[in-house]
Amino acid sequence: MSINGLDEYWVPEHVKDYLRKLGFVLPLDDMEPWIRSWDDWMAARGDFYDYRDKDGVGRVYAVHRRSIHPAMRVCKEWGSLLLNEEVKVVCENQKATDWINSFFSSTSFMNAAQNTVVRAFGLGTGAWALWLDLDKRKVRIRHYDARMVIPLTWDEDGVTECAFVTRAFYRGKAVDQLQMHLKGGMGFSAGLSQASLSTYSNEFADDLLAMESEETYKIVTVCFDHEGNELAPVGILPIYDTECPFPTFGIVKPAVTNTRVDMSPYGQSVLADAIDAVQAVDLTFDALINEIDLSKMRVFLSDVLFDRKQDGNKNVNILFGKQDCTIFRKVMSTEDIIQEFAPALRTNGQIEAFRVALQMLGDLTGFGINYFDMDDSRGYVKTATEVSSDNSALMRNIRRHENSLEGPLVSIARASMFLSRSFGEGVPDEGEVHVQFDDSIIQDTAAEKEQDMREVGVTMGAWEYRMRWYGEEEAVARARAAEVGTGAVTVGKGNG
């Protein structure tokens, strides 16, 4: 298996070779070094955190630098700001809206999707892709990060074909599972068996890049053992024609231009231009803790205060107290039996440096300079609502990232509804689809709702209020507003 020393999964070389034999040029080859680097910073590991130093006599010893995991904190903040259970996919048809949000809720999609966004913002890319249980005729959504995603066909409008590589277990043994979501099948036949899939791909590799006239997506699945041999697990269908005319996956990327690899379908981590700030945060934090540790009181005791015991032919002192170098013995001394030494702390300067490092980290990762700021009254960092009122940079970047996330969310929602419909579920036609994001974390949504309520019957109809705040389509909003009657208007006027 292609794993590093920490048992993390990366695309094995034999899977890459398989795709190359099909004629694909893999963009992962150029991006993987960057993805690995960003992954290390998210986990706070590498030479910056664990290194070797020498003491005054040349002895080499290992040093570990303390960390508050600032890179992971940044990514978690973006995940919590952008996706939560209040985010809804809104369809033109209200029944379709109810169905897709019920589907997301029953499968805990949003919880897992937030983790996908966290990883995508750290590694530059993530994905959601359909996974089909044909026996139960159920649709599920799998989540991937950049380590497992290999775009196969793309242009400036986005990725149209993609491969996803994960580890699965078959009869107690780990296998590598490759799933390719291909438009038109790229020459693969739905009647092809797993055993003949390799032979087919080897003999017709030159023809696999020729698009078929059909425009629907096929899901091609290939499994390998740890030596790279192809397997044919029972219950795995090698090729399945979804008959879906639009992508059966969604690529998740932050709204950050990839300046590391030109023309790459992969995104760029929000940490890419902030590595020095990440280092500064942990450097100042480690220095602060070291300052406190090294400034502990030292107590020097005269020889006469130490008990002795016989050890063979020698008298030795009986040690007492913690073994953390806070008590020292003054040899051959009877003066000043107990002497204390307490170095002066320099924490004020350390805290100020830590604060500046936090501010630069917030600024370089899109939160604005005040987001990760020390609070004088409570310490550590302020909350988003405390800084949103005067943080225009944060608001602008949230809008940019929301626009970037809407595409893959709509894509995976439409694909889920299409495949569920093909499995016999009564999913109505969705019509136009968009995403209603939850901005209550960064703005006073309650105040906005109250203000709109005041406008009902003056500049806004009750149905318009329901459309905005409940995500209902116009016909449903008008009908439900009519059922309520003038109650909403009366409340609005009464509050005015």
Side-chain angles (χ1 to χ4, degrees):
M1 306 293 288
S2 181
I3 53 179
N4 62 18
L6 297 177
D7 199 33
E8 285 197 342
Y9 190 80
W10 296 85
V11 177
E13 197 60 37
H14 55 259
V15 175
K16 296 180 183 178
D17 289 339
Y18 177 87
L19 290 171
R20 292 187 188 106
K21 289 178 181 178
L22 296 181
F24 293 110
V25 176
L26 307 185
L28 181 62
D29 293 338
D30 293 328
M31 278 301 300
E32 188 166 338
W34 292 107
I35 296 171
R36 287 180 179 272
S37 173
W38 297 329
D39 187 53
D40 285 341
W41 286 112
M42 288 183 70
R45 61 171 177 258
D47 294 340
F48 179 76
Y49 293 101
D50 294 284
Y51 58 96
R52 294 185 177 275
D53 203 350
K54 290 184 179 181
D55 61 16
V57 295
R59 291 174 297 190
V60 178
Y61 59 96
V63 182
H64 174 71
R65 179 172 280 120
R66 299 173 182 87
S67 173
I68 61 170
H69 293 258
M72 180 60 79
R73 175 63 186 268
V74 164
C75 300
K76 285 182 176 179
E77 284 295 308
W78 277 122
S80 64
L81 286 175
L82 295 170
L83 277 190
N84 55 48
E85 291 293 342
E86 299 302 319
V87 175
K88 295 180 180 179
V89 174
V90 180
C91 306
E92 188 176 349
N93 187 316
Q94 182 63 40
K95 292 183 178 179
T97 299
D98 296 338
W99 187 93
I100 189 60
N101 288 294
S102 174
F103 171 77
F104 282 165
S105 178
S106 64
T107 57
S108 300
F109 170 75
M110 282 300 174
N111 285 337
Q114 186 179 103
N115 293 331
T116 303
V117 171
V118 169
R119 296 290 294 173
F121 274 57
L123 303 182
T125 308
W128 301 303
L130 292 189
W131 180 83
L132 307 176
D133 188 335
L134 298 179
D135 291 333
K136 298 180 180 179
R137 300 183 70 78
K138 293 291 184 181
V139 176
R140 291 293 180 266
I141 300 173
R142 290 285 174 87
H143 303 254
Y144 305 90
D145 63 35
R147 300 170 303 160
M148 312 167 189
V149 179
I150 306 178
L152 301 176
T153 303
W154 69 93
D155 57 21
E156 62 182 10
D157 293 327
V159 178
T160 54
E161 294 181 312
C162 196
F164 305 97
V165 187
T166 56
R167 177 186 295 159
F169 290 86
Y170 178 65
R171 293 179 177 173
K173 295 183 178 180
V175 299
D176 298 308
Q177 185 180 74
L178 165 68
Q179 282 200 329
M180 295 176 283
H181 292 239
L182 305 175
K183 191 174 184 180
M186 300 292 284
F188 286 105
S189 170
L192 209 60
S193 67
Q194 178 75 51
S196 59
L197 185 59
S198 177
T199 302
Y200 178 91
S201 60
N202 289 333
E203 292 181 356
F204 298 95
D206 293 338
D207 300 327
L208 291 176
L209 296 180
M211 294 297 295
E212 294 182 354
S213 58
E214 58 180 304
E215 293 295 322
T216 61
Y217 276 81
K218 289 186 175 71
I219 299 177
V220 180
T221 304
V222 189
C223 295
F224 307 86
D225 63 18
H226 69 283
E227 295 179 346
N229 302 312
E230 291 183 41
L231 302 175
V234 176
I236 300 295
L237 188 64
I239 298 120
Y240 180 75
D241 188 356
T242 67
E243 300 182 356
C244 184
F246 33 81
T248 48
F249 59 89
I251 301 297
V252 182
K253 298 188 291 186
V256 178
T257 303
N258 189 340
T259 59
R260 297 305 187 266
V261 179
D262 193 29
M263 304 297 290
S264 173
Y266 287 93
Q268 179 170 293
S269 171
V270 294
L271 307 168
D273 296 327
I275 297 302
D276 289 344
V278 171
Q279 291 179 339
V281 169
D282 278 340
L283 192 63
T284 52
F285 174 74
D286 186 56
L288 176 62
I289 301 303
N290 283 337
E291 176 72 19
I292 296 172
D293 185 44
L294 296 174
S295 298
K296 290 184 296 187
M297 178 181 289
R298 267 57 174 175
V299 180
F300 297 86
L301 302 178
S302 175
D303 249 349
V304 299
L305 295 182
F306 287 82
D307 290 332
R308 295 176 178 272
K309 67 179 180 180
Q310 195 71 24
D311 183 12
N313 296 325
K314 297 184 295 183
N315 279 331
V316 296
N317 291 309
I318 299 176
L319 300 178
F320 65 93
K322 295 180 180 180
Q323 302 300 305
D324 57 359
C325 297
T326 58
I327 298 178
F328 296 85
R329 180 170 64 94
K330 295 195 293 183
V331 181
M332 303 298 291
S333 173
T334 58
E335 297 180 358
D336 295 328
I337 295 178
I338 300 176
Q339 184 178 355
E340 298 174 350
F341 174 69
L345 285 173
R346 299 175 299 137
T347 52
N348 288 338
Q350 305 277 8
I351 291 173
E352 185 59 30
F354 183 49
R355 181 180 183 182
V356 171
L358 285 173
Q359 290 175 334
M360 293 309 300
L361 177 67
D363 187 44
L364 292 173
T365 53
F367 293 100
I369 201 167
N370 294 321
Y371 192 89
F372 294 125
D373 194 7
M374 300 290 291
D375 189 299
D376 293 334
S377 61
R378 289 178 291 134
Y380 202 39
V381 298
K382 298 179 181 178
T383 62
T385 52
E386 290 177 306
V387 299
S388 60
S389 59
D390 59 350
N391 194 343
S392 58
L394 174 63
M395 297 299 297
R396 288 196 304 270
N397 287 319
I398 282 179
R399 291 291 177 260
R400 291 173 58 240
H401 291 313
E402 285 178 347
N403 292 336
S404 179
L405 281 177
E406 184 165 22
L409 280 171
V410 168
S411 180
I412 201 65
R414 293 182 66 200
S416 298
M417 288 188 280
F418 184 93
L419 267 296
S420 296
R421 196 179 294 125
S422 70
F423 284 164
E425 294 199 35
V427 184
D429 182 62
E430 63 272 12
E432 294 294 325
V433 183
H434 69 277
V435 178
Q436 180 178 296
F437 288 96
D438 175 33
D439 292 331
S440 62
I441 299 175
I442 57 166
Q443 63 189 39
D444 194 347
T445 301
E448 287 194 19
K449 291 179 71 174
E450 177 66 22
Q451 179 61 37
D452 280 357
M453 180 68 77
R454 294 173 184 272
E455 296 296 324
V456 171
V458 182
T459 62
M460 175 186 289
W463 61 273
E464 293 177 295
Y465 179 90
R466 297 189 68 90
M467 283 185 66
R468 178 177 181 185
W469 294 108
Y470 295 107
E472 298 171 346
E473 63 175 326
E474 182 176 341
V476 173
R478 285 181 180 275
R480 292 179 178 175
E483 291 176 4
V484 174
T486 60
V489 177
T490 302
V491 172
K493 291 181 178 179
N495 289 340

